[in-house]
Amino acid sequence: MECLLPWIGHIQFADNPGRHEPGTGEINFSNVFSAIDKMDYDGWVSAEYRPSGTTTESLHWLPA
């Protein structure tokens, strides 16, 4: 993915399965975000998921 970095301006994420918030599926987002940081990516990163409960409840994964 690093070779494509100059052409990536936006990364969207959701967990799998179900496209719910991080922490509800099988993706290790700690590793994903760490890899993005190591590449010095400076574009946009955003969550686009279907909350598994209410929107407020689904924000538990965000740092305080």
Side-chain angles (χ1 to χ4, degrees), residues 42-56:
D42 65 354
W44 292 94
V45 178
S46 63
E48 185 181 6
Y49 61 83
R50 290 181 283 203
S52 58
T54 67
T55 299
T56 302

Side-chain angles (χ1 to χ4, degrees), residues 28-51:
N28 185 329
F29 280 98
S30 180
N31 288 346
V32 171
F33 295 140
S34 179
I36 291 170
D37 285 343
K38 286 179 185 172
M39 290 187 289
D40 292 325
Y41 174 72
D42 65 354
W44 292 94
V45 178
S46 63
E48 185 181 6
Y49 61 83
R50 290 181 283 203

Side-chain angles (χ1 to χ4, degrees), residues 21 49 51-61:
E21 66 274 10
Y49 61 83
S52 58
T54 67
T55 299
T56 302
E57 292 169 345
S58 77
L59 299 175
H60 64 84
W61 64 273

Side-chain angles (χ1 to χ4, degrees), residues 14-29 52 60:
D15 217 330
N16 181 59
R19 291 200 66 236
H20 299 301
E21 66 274 10
T24 58
E26 57 193 34
I27 297 174
N28 185 329
F29 280 98
S52 58
H60 64 84

